Amino acid sequence: MAKVSCRKAFSSELLAQARQNPQIWAMATDSRGSVTIGDFFKELPNQSLELGIAEQNAVAVAAGAALMGKNVFVAGPSCFLTARAYEQIKVDVAYNHTNVKIVGVSAGVSYGPLGCTHTSLHDIAGMRALPGLSVFVPADAVQTRFLTRWLTGYEGPAFLRMGRGDVESVYGEEETFQVGRAKLARQGSDVTLAACGECVWQALQAAELLAQRGVSARVLDFFSIKPFDEEAVIRAAEETGAILTVEEHSVCGGLGEQVARTVVENRPVPVKILGFPDSECRVGASADLFRAYGLTGEAIADQALRLLGKGR
Amino acid sequence: METLEHIAFDRRLDVLDMVYRARTGHIGGSMSCMDILCALYYRVMDTEKIKRGEADRDRFLLSKGHCAEALYAVLADRGFFPRERLLSYARFDTALAEHPTRKIPGVEAATGALGHGLSLAVGMAAAARRDGSPAHIYVLMGDGEQDEGSVWEAAMAAGKYGLENLTAIVDRNRLQISGNTEQVMPLSPLAARYRDFGWEAVECSGHNSEELVRALRLRSPQKPVAVIANTVKGYGSELMENKAEWHHLVPDEEQYACIRAQLEQRRGAVSRG
Ligand SMILES: [Mg+2]
């Protein structure tokens, strides 16, 4: 299947939904190009608002429109949207429980060559800490389309986080998902690989390599970071006895710590958290950084073997 | 006949009681913005329509949310909720926190992190206009609040989109928590700055009801309106007037009696309509 970026899947699905529903609005922060949402603005000018390079204002304007009955998707690079406008997301979106969807694109290390001004390795942690805000991190275009469609029908605040580049297809077009439930991407019994976003595909590659070594790895896709599927984690702990988490995010406050807390509080088993360390991120293309920080299929498989005491 | 200014003094007495009882609050700014709130809630806006929650009701946002007690006193008197609820101001688990929330009848949005209200109002005004709604959006900001960069992001957007259904009021009492606004971070000429951003801007006395009502009813084709309301922080009590420390001081028993007497005396001096 041809590779598609999540942002294009998002923008085309949003446009399709907005054509049917005039209450769906899009707002941009001089980010129409980076979000690939220019067609929406051209076709539905009365449902879109360009607010310039001013994320704080954009998020609160979105909340204001939402208070008048709109379902507003405010979209821009996650590094700016979730950091510059953090207080607006906390107060105007989450606390006021407005019908605003914060759509952060080019998250993680999508902008790796641009340096750490443009990394967005904090956003899952920051958004998770806000009561009332749902947090979703899709793995591929199919899941992005599902979540976009779901969010157009959901009344409440949410954060949708995705990368920039074309991504491998994890799911077929007919795949179904349930918000609040981890997606079982591969069944297994010896170890669980818990991942989100583009790391789901890497985890599946790792599971394939592990199978060749006689290790049966379960792959759980936590696209729904909040609401979070604690049951799936507890079941994985009980049934596979060890959990490795993988995310394109800081090891501080992301999926890994959420999984670890669930495990420690309910069913203690060995857990290893893979992600970006708490230090300045190196500069480079996304694929180079995934290699450098051990987030490729091979590196994940190695870590899984080590976790099982079978490491080299 | 009782004038708006009499009513505003009555509400200031309510505020004094709330702050004195709760041992907390922002009394100085509540006193300075009271005439503005009364002009809006007793003259300019259709409060019955607001109570009915009609889609095309006018909206008011208290961007300087720390003066919630002033808004609560007005909302209670206008029948949005029983006056007895004012007793719960700032109490444990109350809906009437020191900053307003949507749990309170008549409150459109939780506010008080400064520099958010104008942006919310821009979103509301843009939506109302596209819906063909007659709703007018009013937002009240502090002058110290003008330091926030987000205010000017919102001012730019309101100018760009020509939001003629938006009125921003600045409670220009020239004081903020650390002292004189012009020393903390100069704002003058404030009206000119709004004009530069594509707004109609007028100055008026923030304690003269006639002037206030006229300014609040001002409309300008394709332009949002800024009303710079010149006010006195702590208005109505010489003990508090123009003293920065009364931003959030709580009166002791003796001060309470003094402020009450001064407010009553000033109320008595207002000429009848
Ligand atoms: Mg002031």
Side-chain angles (χ1 to χ4, degrees):
Chain A
M1 213 177 301
K3 291 193 352 175
V4 187
S5 72
C6 291
R7 57 195 175 124
K8 282 181 187 141
F10 158 73
S11 56
S12 60
E13 184 64 34
L14 188 69
L15 177 57
Q17 297 297 323
R19 280 184 191 126
Q20 326 284 325
N21 181 355
Q23 299 297 84
I24 296 171
W25 278 28
M27 293 191 187
T29 53
D30 196 22
S31 53
R32 280 171 283 171
S34 56
V35 178
T36 68
I37 203 168
D39 290 346
F40 187 112
F41 277 65
K42 273 191 212 115
E43 192 180 322
L44 303 171
N46 281 322
Q47 290 165 248
S48 46
L49 216 51
E50 172 60 75
L51 292 153
I53 309 168
E55 292 78 14
Q56 299 179 68
N57 183 51
V59 169
V61 167
L67 287 165
M68 302 296 278
K70 309 303 171 194
N71 184 1
V72 189
F73 289 70
V74 50
S78 198
C79 53
F80 310 130
L81 204 51
T82 62
R84 182 71 74 105
Y86 192 59
E87 189 183 83
Q88 280 77 8
I89 298 172
K90 173 193 163 204
V91 176
D92 305 320
V93 178
Y95 185 44
N96 267 310
H97 208 78
T98 48
N99 200 9
V100 174
K101 312 314 189 274
I102 305 292
V103 182
V105 303
S106 302
V109 292
S110 298
Y111 281 140
L114 281 72
C116 288
T117 51
H118 284 59
T119 51
S120 194
L121 295 167
H122 64 277
D123 48 7
I124 295 176
M127 296 300 108
R128 261 184 71 214
L130 300 176
L133 188 78
S134 301
V135 177
F136 304 110
V137 183
D140 74 352
V142 170
Q143 205 174 47
T144 303
R145 273 193 290 275
F146 160 76
L147 283 168
T148 304
R149 204 160 48 241
W150 188 84
L151 286 168
T152 59
Y154 170 69
E155 184 152 349
F159 171 53
L160 180 64
R161 181 209 203 232
M162 63 192 77
R164 178 177 177 82
D166 293 343
V167 295
E168 303 284 350
S169 295
V170 173
Y171 301 108
E173 292 292 339
E174 304 307 314
E175 198 62 69
T176 57
F177 308 95
Q178 204 184 335
V179 165
R181 290 271 164 244
K183 177 72 187 173
L184 181 66
R186 180 181 172 127
Q187 189 54 281
S189 53
D190 298 331
V191 64
T192 295
L193 309 178
C196 64
E198 293 179 30
C199 289
V200 172
W201 189 80
Q202 305 290 352
L204 285 166
Q205 301 303 109
E208 195 56 49
L209 293 170
L210 287 166
Q212 290 165 18
R213 302 279 306 266
V215 173
S216 162
R218 178 179 304 184
V219 178
L220 288 176
D221 171 4
F222 285 92
F223 68 94
S224 182
I225 298 279
K226 195 174 171 182
F228 185 71
D229 191 352
E230 290 202 340
E231 273 174 40
V233 174
I234 297 165
R235 222 177 304 121
E238 281 167 358
E239 293 171 7
T240 72
I243 303 178
L244 188 74
T245 71
V246 200
E247 64 197 303
E248 186 186 351
H249 186 272
S250 166
V251 293
C252 301
L255 170 66
E257 286 194 356
Q258 172 81 61
V259 167
R261 177 161 69 84
T262 307
V263 168
V264 168
E265 286 181 349
N266 295 281
R267 187 71 164 82
V269 296
V271 171
K272 171 76 183 165
I273 296 172
L274 301 185
F276 285 80
D278 184 25
S279 58
E280 186 180 304
C281 186
R282 293 163 75 178
V283 173
S286 185
D288 291 333
L289 292 172
F290 268 59
R291 257 192 303 280
Y293 287 100
L295 299 174
T296 59
E298 281 145 40
I300 295 165
D302 277 352
Q303 289 286 349
L305 291 171
R306 236 177 268 179
L307 186 65
L308 296 173
K310 299 176 180 176
R312 280 166 280 186
Chain B
M1 208 185 87
E2 280 209 331
T3 65
L4 266 184
E5 285 157 38
H6 288 103
I7 293 170
F9 274 111
D10 289 338
R11 299 293 80 75
R12 286 187 180 94
L13 286 160
D14 291 342
V15 166
L16 173 65
D17 283 344
M18 289 162 75
V19 170
Y20 181 64
R21 223 171 10 231
R23 310 306 301 153
T24 183
H26 291 83
I27 195 166
S30 293
M31 297 297 171
S32 69
C33 72
M34 191 56 91
D35 290 296
I36 301 163
L37 291 177
C38 289
L40 283 166
Y41 277 91
Y42 293 82
R43 286 289 182 282
V44 176
M45 297 195 300
D46 181 346
T47 49
E48 291 310 308
K49 198 166 169 176
I50 296 173
K51 265 183 239 171
R52 290 192 298 270
E54 291 183 23
D56 63 356
R57 68 189 181 277
D58 289 343
R59 284 3 183 233
F60 172 74
L61 293 165
L62 184 67
S63 192
K64 47 173 285 178
H66 56 282
C67 294
E69 60 268 46
L71 178 64
Y72 298 159
V74 168
L75 289 176
D77 191 61
R78 294 302 272 154
F80 282 84
F81 52 82
R83 279 184 63 85
E84 301 79 70
R85 268 188 88 177
L86 295 178
L87 296 168
S88 76
Y89 170 68
R91 291 271 172 86
F92 178 68
D93 256 354
T94 182
L96 271 60
E98 278 188 66
H99 290 84
T101 73
R102 292 174 73 196
K103 290 177 195 147
I104 304 159
V107 173
E108 303 283 357
T111 50
L114 296 178
H116 293 216
L118 188 57
S119 301
L120 288 171
V122 166
M124 286 179 157
R129 228 161 58 129
R130 284 182 179 174
D131 287 347
S133 163
H136 196 86
I137 318 297
Y138 299 90
V139 55
L140 174 60
M141 293 179 284
D143 52 0
E145 183 177 4
Q146 307 299 301
D147 296 352
E148 289 281 6
S150 55
V151 169
W152 301 99
E153 294 182 5
M156 265 192 277
K160 172 189 172 181
Y161 289 105
L163 298 176
E164 59 195 28
N165 57 343
L166 168 65
T167 296
I169 309 125
V170 179
D171 179 6
R172 185 73 171 110
N173 57 30
R174 295 189 171 260
L175 286 176
Q176 57 196 102
I177 199 163
S178 309
N180 187 295
T181 54
E182 303 314 289
Q183 281 159 10
V184 176
M185 189 54 66
L187 299 172
S188 292
L190 198 47
R193 290 185 179 182
Y194 275 95
R195 278 183 209 113
D196 281 345
F197 281 72
W199 291 56
E200 177 70 56
V202 292
E203 284 198 54
C204 70
S205 161
H207 299 304
N208 179 312
S209 299
E210 249 178 70
E211 279 187 39
L212 270 173
V213 169
R214 202 180 317 125
L216 293 169
R217 285 185 174 148
L218 180 71
R219 302 289 182 262
S220 184
Q222 291 295 312
K223 280 185 175 184
V225 176
V227 175
I228 313 301
N230 291 309
T231 58
V232 173
K233 198 154 181 169
Y235 186 78
S237 158
E238 292 78 2
L239 184 76
M240 299 191 293
E241 283 184 350
N242 287 316
K243 297 196 184 89
E245 62 268 29
W246 280 99
H247 178 79
H248 61 175
L249 268 187
V250 175
D252 61 23
E253 201 180 333
E254 199 179 320
Q255 289 166 327
Y256 170 83
C258 170
I259 295 168
R260 171 159 278 281
Q262 290 178 337
L263 285 170
E264 281 168 352
Q265 192 258 323
R266 288 274 283 274
R267 185 191 190 281
V270 175
S271 55
R272 310 237 139 213

